[in-house]
Amino acid sequence: MHCASPKMVCETKIVADEHDAIPGSKKEAMMWSSHPAEAKEEAVRRDEVFIREFERGDQREVHRIFCEGIMERIPNTAFRGLRQQPRTQALYALLTVMCFFVSKSVTLTCCAPLVLMGARYFYSKTVIQRYLDCALNSDMADIEDYYMRNTGSCFWVAVLDGRVVGIVAAQGREDDNTVELQRMSVDSHYRGKGIAKALGRRVLEFAVRNNYAAIILGTTAVKLAAHKLYESLGFRRTGQSEDHRLPGMSRSPLERLFFQIRYSRYRLQLRED
C-alpha cells in the first residue's frame, strides 16, 4: 500500500538549453529545492523550465493547453490514423468501386474519396469535441478539488519564462496500488525541448516517493513520437485495442464507419507488491 502523500514542497528543475533537449542530453541537470519560491526566482533568472504543483491561477492556461492538445487530434485521427487501419482502407476502396458501378461516372468516383475523407473529418471533430466537453465538465472543471485535495493524486504544470507551457496529472488507484499518468500536454510553441519527458519524470518521482507499485497510462495518440516518449521513460506496452470508445461516442453506424481510434495501454513497473 502507498503511504499518505502530503503535498511535497520540492520542485523539479531542469536546465533548458536552446540546442539541447532538457532531459536526455549531455547538459541535463535535475535539482531539488526545499524552498519553492527561491527555486521559482532562480528558474526565471536562468531561463529554466521547472515543474511545480498546480495553483488556482493556472486554470486558464491549463485549459488552453489541454484544449489545444485535444483539438490537434482531429486531423491526426481523421487522416493520419487511417494509415493504421487497413480494414477501413479496404472498405473505403470498396465503396469507391461500388460508386463507379452504380453511377457509371468517373467524376463521381473521383469525388468519392474526398467525400469519405470529409466524413472522417466531420465525425472526428464531433466525437473529439464531445470527449473534450466531457473532460472539461469532469476532472478538468475543478483541478484543485479533483487532484490537489485527493490523497495520492496531484497535478503539475511546467513553467518557462514565467508562463505555463505544459501540464500533467497523476491519479492514484487504491485497488491495485498503481498511479495513472493523465492529461499530459505541452504548448505547441514549446515542443521539442524535452518538457513532456520532464513532466513524465515528475510523475515517476511522485510514484516512487509514495510507494506505488507501478505507473499506468492509456493513450489514443496517433503520432509515433508520443509512443517513443513513453518508451524512453521506461514504459512498456501491455495492450492495444483497434476500436476504442471515447466518452461521448454514440456508436451510430455512420460514426462507426467514419471514426475509429486505436487505444494503447502502457505500464512502468516500479516494484513488486
Side-chain angles (χ1 to χ4, degrees):
M1 292 298 294
H2 69 277
C3 64
S5 58
K7 296 305 172 188
M8 292 174 284
V9 297
C10 298
E11 292 183 356
T12 305
K13 297 199 303 173
I14 294 86
V15 176
D17 188 280
E18 257 186 15
H19 308 290
D20 296 280
I22 294 167
S25 70
K26 293 180 181 179
K27 296 184 180 181
E28 176 181 351
M30 185 172 290
M31 298 169 283
W32 290 91
S33 171
S34 59
H35 303 287
E38 292 178 9
K40 194 178 299 185
E41 289 175 5
E42 280 186 28
V44 172
R45 287 198 302 270
R46 300 180 184 179
D47 294 326
E48 296 172 356
V49 172
F50 69 99
I51 314 299
R52 63 165 171 78
E53 292 183 2
F54 171 86
E55 298 172 359
R56 185 177 291 275
D58 300 326
Q59 186 85 17
R60 183 173 180 179
E61 283 297 286
V62 166
H63 275 190
R64 180 188 63 79
I65 293 170
F66 176 68
C67 292
E68 178 188 82
I70 295 298
M71 295 305 285
E72 282 180 353
R73 298 188 183 188
I74 295 173
N76 286 336
T77 302
F79 307 128
R80 192 191 297 261
L82 184 59
R83 293 187 295 183
Q84 303 172 350
Q85 300 159 3
R87 286 185 295 181
T88 303
Q89 292 177 32
L91 176 59
Y92 290 176
L94 177 62
L95 290 173
T96 302
V97 171
M98 288 176 61
C99 178
F100 175 75
F101 281 107
V102 171
S103 67
K104 304 297 183 183
S105 170
V106 174
T107 302
L108 287 176
T109 303
C110 291
C111 289
L114 297 177
V115 173
L116 291 170
M117 291 302 98
R120 281 186 66 87
Y121 183 85
F122 171 79
Y123 278 97
S124 293
K125 183 177 180 179
T126 300
V127 172
I128 290 174
Q129 183 65 62
R130 286 187 201 143
Y131 167 72
L132 178 59
D133 291 341
C134 287
L136 292 177
N137 284 287
S138 55
D139 63 303
M140 297 299 287
D142 191 341
I143 294 169
E144 192 169 35
D145 184 62
Y146 192 90
Y147 291 104
M148 307 307 293
R149 294 175 183 167
N150 285 337
T151 301
S153 297
C154 198
F155 196 104
W156 298 271
V157 297
V159 179
L160 177 63
D161 297 329
R163 179 175 182 175
V164 174
V165 297
I167 62 173
V168 74
Q171 184 176 30
R173 295 168 34 146
E174 295 282 350
D175 55 341
D176 57 0
N177 195 29
T178 63
V179 63
E180 184 173 4
L181 185 154
Q182 299 178 332
R183 307 308 191 197
M184 181 186 283
S185 188
V186 175
D187 188 316
S188 60
H189 298 95
Y190 294 88
R191 290 174 189 167
K193 297 179 179 290
I195 295 172
K197 182 175 282 190
L199 288 165
R201 286 179 173 175
R202 188 65 186 87
V203 175
L204 192 153
E205 292 160 6
F206 175 81
V208 170
R209 289 169 65 87
N210 287 277
N211 296 321
Y212 282 104
I215 308 171
I216 60 173
L217 67 87
T219 181
T220 57
V222 174
K223 291 182 179 179
L224 185 61
H227 298 272
K228 286 185 175 180
L229 167 66
Y230 299 132
E231 291 169 1
S232 72
L233 288 167
F235 285 87
R236 295 292 176 265
R237 185 177 294 176
T238 58
Q240 185 171 274
S241 58
E242 297 297 328
D243 193 16
H244 181 62
R245 181 169 185 171
L246 290 174
M249 289 183 67
S250 66
R251 305 300 286 175
S252 67
L254 284 176
E255 188 177 272
R256 291 174 64 88
L257 177 62
F258 294 114
F259 182 86
Q260 306 88 28
I261 194 164
R262 176 182 290 179
Y263 182 79
S264 300
R265 294 178 294 278
Y266 284 88
R267 183 182 183 93
L268 173 55
Q269 193 68 35
L270 300 175
R271 63 180 178 81
E272 297 298 329
D273 280 328

